[in-house]
Amino acid sequence: MARDYTLHSTKGPASGINYKAELNASQYEAVSAPPGHALVIAGAGSGKTRTLTYRVAYLLDNGIPPENILLLTFTNKAAREMLDRVSALVQVDTRRLWGGTFHSVGNRLLRRHPERLGYRPGFSIMDREDQKDLLDSVLGGAAIDKGSYRFPKSEVLAEMFSLAENICCDLQEIIDTRYPYFDLVSEPIHRVHQLYREKKLETNTMDFDDLLTLSVRLLQENEDLLQTYQRMFQFVLVDEFQDTNRLQCDFVDLLVGEGGNLMVVGDDAQSIYSWRGADVGNILNFAEHHPTAKTYKIETNYRSVPEILSLANAAIEANTAQIRKSLHASRPGKGTLPALVQVDNPGAQAAFVAQRILELQDEGVDFNEMAVIYRAHFHSLEIQLELTQRGIPFQITSGLRFFEQAHVKDVAAFMKFAVNRKDEVSFMRLVRLIPGVGSASAAKLWSDWSQCEGSNEGAMTGRFSAYMKEMKVPKKAQSTWDQFGYTLDELIDPQGLPVAPAGMIHSIVEGVYADYMKAKFKNYEQRAQDLEQLSSFGSRYTDPIEFLSQLSLLSGVDTDNAPAAEATQDREAVTLTTAHQAKGLEWQVVFAIWLADGMFPNRRVLDEGSAEGVEEERRLFYVTVTRAKDELYMIYPLIYHAARDGNVLQVPSRFIADLPAGLMEPWNVRSVF
Ligand code: ATP
Ligand code: MG
């Protein structure tokens, strides 16, 4: 067996950082650990990310060249922040260091050696939209008989392929377990998969998952590259290791190799991505997998006041699958307990949050130091509305602003058209939802429709279907076109006047849109919930025109979606985020909303009845409450107006019910108007 021999740096720490003073004993131990494998496993807010940041500084301080370090994080922003921090500590150009998400590192590798995989330099990366277009073109040429059985739309196919790759399992297994209703068409799905792969190569494009799968393949199939990179990345560090999936773990193993040095940090109690293929086993079995690894535990929490920490510790207590940790607070107590706030309804919940935000700002808390956290994106609707109306700036990390989402806009387009038959934009949007109608036939339909309208002297009233029957549509589109006509008819009363908004939404969803969503979107259920929420919001209005104007006004405010969000991140704004996206972050004040059973934990998980599912939801709740440094508000509305069932009485989340009463202070909220 070969002998290990390490060359030591002759230079001492140059930065002058007093590591011992800035870290506690166990953090220091991990930061100054000798080369080899190391696992830091500790609860939320214990300084795991800080430990990694200092570890990078320490390595640089000890003469390790930046290009020999690889730092893998949950977001690119997290890596940037950590490296900025390191740059401030150590006089080294951290831009030479490899840091970022698994995907961004994969991209850098592939850019260097595309030809090894049959790709050409300058390959393009497809976003979801491009991927969908490419899949559509594959589907078009694949001669699939879509007449006899329902065939998944390109977006759904993309999700299936992606899951199979991330969990490293067979596509058939994914169909069997997650999409059993597509079992009948599994043969053509496999065929499309193959054609899609060929098409990507042919067009020199990769999708997002390829950045990882192909990187792994690149290293597996090219011994020389494997050697090069293993030598290059002498030190590999990974944050949030509890949420890595099989593929990411393989990628790390390949890069590190036998003689490498790997430090991973994480918290099994914060593993919240198993539904996307993350495997908590990666962290739990780390020591077994790497027998020489040293394990470090940190038992002090630096983030939260003890009142919040006690509540967090109690919140995770009920989970059976966990490594027990005793976490004590380093900060002094505040004397006030986390608030448990019951409010009458979602409107009151939003009013409460908005009012407290303004009061806190008056007391000197920055908007940037406040966050509203929820289980599902649609929970943010009322809050978005309220904050917009009160002029409170917010940035939303959970996705598009509610009213800008495609499904919400589609439904609104039906409503707008029912109200205003001259609305060309809405008409075009609607007809393009019909299979077989592209831009050209949509334009033709519009011109026919306007003529029809013109011949009625611009006063076209009465049933839509009567006019629509007269029009010629592509054969393939006929049945959906007819159905659109009947649905539009339901949106007006016998006098030709539009019905109330909630009724309209109901008719649209039942008549055409539910079917459309099932075939088109991978997250059909979530979008259906959104529309229910929209309908519940709509029930506040009787006049659809007023309702639609509200929608337009709300979506007209400046957007923070995707690329723009990076640019606006420094602006003073309250953060609205899902619990998943809040991972690793912290704020002085956190409002956890919709803490009712069926909302958080999520209804679907409860219906499935799996104990593991509920434990994952509980970990998500733990992630939520541990984001708060100084103040935590746990809020739930007593009554929720569901579109189908009318007023539903809600019970507080079981995660709250499980907590000892002494750990929170109930607030009685009354309104004076
Ligand atoms: P999470 O599990 O949520 O990712 P974490 O374990 O990564 O949390 P950090 O975000 O690194 O924790 O640290 C939480 C907070 O505590 C940060 O504000 C950090 O600066 C502070 N902190 C950590 N360790 C120390 C320390 N030794 N002295 C002072 N502050 C510390
Ligand atoms: Mg962290």
Side-chain angles (χ1 to χ4, degrees):
M1 205 173 123
R3 183 188 299 201
D4 286 336
Y5 186 82
T6 313
L7 282 179
H8 294 288
S9 160
T10 50
K11 290 179 240 154
S15 67
I17 302 173
N18 187 343
Y19 289 94
K20 279 196 173 148
E22 294 181 36
L23 301 162
N24 71 26
S26 34
Q27 290 173 335
Y28 177 74
E29 235 195 296
V31 164
S32 60
H37 284 10
L39 162 69
V40 179
I41 187 155
S46 58
K48 295 181 296 299
T49 302
R50 182 182 174 105
T51 299
L52 273 194
T53 310
Y54 273 84
R55 173 70 173 173
V56 173
Y58 185 87
L59 293 171
L60 295 170
D61 239 351
N62 281 279
I64 306 291
E67 44 279 340
N68 292 147
I69 302 174
L70 170 64
L71 173 65
L72 290 160
T73 50
F74 177 59
T75 61
N76 286 318
K77 185 168 159 238
R80 242 185 351 258
E81 279 173 10
M82 286 165 78
L83 294 180
D84 283 351
R85 187 87 219 280
V86 174
S87 301
L89 295 170
V90 192
Q91 295 302 316
V92 172
D93 183 3
T94 52
R95 278 172 306 182
R96 280 158 53 206
L97 194 149
W98 285 56
T101 61
F102 285 88
H103 287 102
S104 69
V105 170
N107 177 43
R108 277 178 79 177
L109 278 185
L110 293 168
R111 293 274 165 214
R112 293 174 153 213
H113 318 281
E115 69 296 340
R116 299 278 184 119
L117 294 157
Y119 275 87
R120 291 181 294 282
F123 61 82
S124 30
I125 302 172
M126 296 182 284
D127 64 13
R128 279 285 183 183
E129 202 68 29
D130 305 333
Q131 187 186 9
K132 190 183 144 306
D133 290 346
L134 196 73
L135 268 164
D136 278 337
S137 116
V138 168
L139 279 172
I144 285 169
D145 169 20
K146 291 190 216 134
S148 8
Y149 289 105
R150 192 153 63 87
F151 196 77
K153 283 265 158 61
S154 47
E155 205 174 342
V156 182
L157 287 168
E159 182 67 10
M160 286 182 187
F161 300 164
S162 170
L163 263 175
E165 292 186 348
N166 280 292
I167 314 178
C168 299
C169 84
D170 188 42
L171 180 59
Q172 188 59 45
E173 207 175 313
I174 296 292
I175 301 174
D176 291 345
T177 53
R178 306 215 188 190
Y179 300 90
Y181 40 92
F182 286 131
D183 204 34
L184 279 170
V185 286
S186 75
E187 190 280 319
I189 291 178
H190 282 279
R191 191 148 44 87
V192 169
H193 194 204
Q194 184 53 34
L195 289 170
Y196 173 58
R197 282 184 185 161
E198 290 164 11
K199 185 88 173 179
K200 284 190 288 189
L201 214 55
E202 188 188 306
T203 54
N204 205 29
T205 51
M206 291 188 193
D207 62 33
F208 218 57
D209 293 312
D210 289 329
L211 298 178
L212 258 183
T213 25
L214 294 182
S215 297
V216 166
R217 236 181 73 199
L218 181 76
L219 298 173
Q220 279 169 339
E221 293 175 359
N222 296 278
E223 186 58 30
D224 59 325
L225 295 184
L226 185 68
Q227 299 277 344
T228 307
Y229 286 106
Q230 288 184 349
R231 249 196 322 274
M232 177 164 158
F233 297 130
Q234 283 178 31
F235 291 87
V236 179
L237 305 98
V238 190
D239 199 4
E240 309 277 6
F241 194 67
Q242 76 280 354
D243 276 325
T244 48
N245 61 29
R246 182 74 262 140
L247 192 59
Q248 291 165 328
C249 199
D250 288 351
F251 187 45
V252 169
D253 282 347
L254 280 165
L255 287 172
V256 172
E258 283 287 304
N261 308 297
L262 170 65
M263 178 176 280
V264 304
V265 315
D267 176 8
D268 58 298
Q270 295 184 70
S271 159
I272 53 175
Y273 278 93
S274 72
W275 55 285
R276 284 296 287 120
D279 181 1
V280 72
N282 292 342
I283 196 163
L284 295 181
N285 306 326
F286 187 82
E288 224 173 280
H289 193 52
H290 303 284
T292 56
K294 288 210 175 58
T295 301
Y296 302 87
K297 292 190 172 167
I298 314 171
E299 309 213 301
T300 310
N301 173 296
Y302 291 89
R303 177 178 295 147
S304 310
V305 292
E307 292 85 356
I308 293 175
L309 185 63
S310 306
L311 184 133
N313 286 340
I316 197 67
E317 186 60 35
N319 268 14
T320 52
Q322 63 161 317
I323 299 180
R324 306 260 160 209
K325 304 176 196 77
S326 67
L327 208 55
H328 52 263
S330 127
R331 297 184 52 192
K334 223 171 107 79
T336 51
L337 293 173
L340 176 61
V341 190
Q342 184 197 76
V343 287
D344 288 343
N345 52 46
Q349 175 173 254
F352 175 83
V353 171
Q355 185 172 321
R356 275 310 288 148
I357 286 175
L358 291 174
E359 285 164 1
L360 286 159
Q361 193 211 18
D362 262 359
E363 290 166 23
V365 183
D366 288 346
F367 284 144
N368 283 340
E369 277 294 340
M370 301 187 226
V372 183
I373 306 182
Y374 36 84
R375 172 68 183 85
H377 184 46
F378 79 85
H379 293 162
S380 65
L381 188 153
E382 308 276 347
I383 303 279
Q384 291 191 40
L385 184 70
E386 191 74 33
L387 297 187
T388 307
Q389 280 169 351
R390 298 202 195 200
I392 301 172
F394 64 91
Q395 59 158 344
I396 181 153
T397 63
S398 52
L400 290 180
R401 283 168 188 257
F402 189 85
F403 303 107
E404 286 162 1
Q405 302 176 101
H407 51 300
V408 175
K409 285 171 84 172
D410 287 344
V411 168
F414 275 100
M415 300 175 74
K416 284 183 184 166
F417 186 66
V419 169
N420 168 19
R421 300 180 189 207
K422 293 180 194 228
D423 185 341
E424 176 177 346
V425 173
S426 297
F427 179 90
M428 298 292 272
R429 186 171 184 110
L430 299 190
V431 296
R432 273 199 298 252
L433 301 177
I434 302 177
V437 177
S439 299
S441 28
K444 169 84 176 56
L445 282 170
W446 174 249
S447 113
D448 291 355
W449 175 264
S450 344
Q451 260 176 24
C452 192
E453 221 233 1
S455 63
N456 283 280
E457 289 159 357
M460 195 153 75
T461 51
R463 290 157 60 81
F464 285 84
S465 56
Y467 302 100
M468 288 169 68
K469 276 213 177 81
E470 304 299 313
M471 291 166 62
K472 224 176 125 41
V473 291
K475 203 157 178 278
K476 210 171 145 195
Q478 189 68 51
S479 67
T480 316
W481 173 258
D482 293 343
Q483 188 54 44
F484 270 39
Y486 303 135
T487 300
L488 283 165
D489 286 349
E490 285 181 28
L491 310 187
I492 49 172
D493 66 13
Q495 284 78 47
L497 297 171
V499 302
M504 279 193 172
I505 297 168
H506 179 77
S507 298
I508 297 161
V509 172
E510 296 293 313
V512 289
Y513 206 69
D515 276 346
Y516 173 79
M517 276 192 297
K518 269 185 210 152
K520 161 98 181 169
F521 300 121
K522 56 180 190 284
N523 53 352
Y524 154 71
E525 279 141 347
Q526 198 182 320
R527 290 182 194 245
Q529 274 183 326
D530 283 348
L531 294 180
E532 248 184 59
Q533 187 80 0
L534 183 72
S535 167
S536 152
F537 172 53
S539 62
R540 292 187 191 178
Y541 298 81
T542 47
D543 180 359
I545 297 178
E546 199 189 324
F547 171 78
L548 289 167
S549 333
Q550 272 297 339
L551 286 197
S552 311
L553 288 174
L554 283 170
S555 46
V557 283
D558 62 330
T559 58
D560 281 330
N561 52 32
E566 299 253 329
T568 54
Q569 71 202 3
D570 295 331
R571 204 187 58 179
E572 271 286 299
V574 175
T575 299
L576 268 50
T577 176
T578 58
H580 281 104
Q581 285 293 320
K583 194 171 76 158
L585 306 176
E586 59 186 20
W587 294 272
Q588 272 178 28
V589 181
V590 165
F591 297 92
I593 60 169
W594 280 108
L595 293 181
D597 243 29
M599 297 294 177
F600 200 158
N602 184 287
R603 163 73 42 221
R604 197 154 21 96
V605 174
L606 295 181
D607 290 347
E608 279 164 14
S610 100
E612 289 97 56
V614 174
E615 293 216 339
E616 177 142 330
E617 292 286 304
R618 193 179 281 106
R619 291 194 291 271
L620 197 52
F621 180 64
Y622 176 72
V623 168
T624 305
V625 296
T626 52
R627 300 307 99 200
K629 295 196 246 183
D630 300 339
E631 289 185 32
L632 171 65
Y633 296 85
M634 297 180 296
I635 315 167
Y636 67 94
L638 197 57
I639 290 171
Y640 159 55
H641 186 84
R644 237 173 287 147
D645 313 318
N647 284 345
V648 178
L649 197 61
Q650 304 203 105
V651 293
S653 165
R654 62 193 59 194
F655 303 146
I656 292 181
D658 283 351
L659 295 170
L663 293 181
M664 32 194 180
E665 180 188 15
W667 284 35
N668 291 320
V669 177
R670 281 192 214 94
S671 56
V672 289
F673 45 85

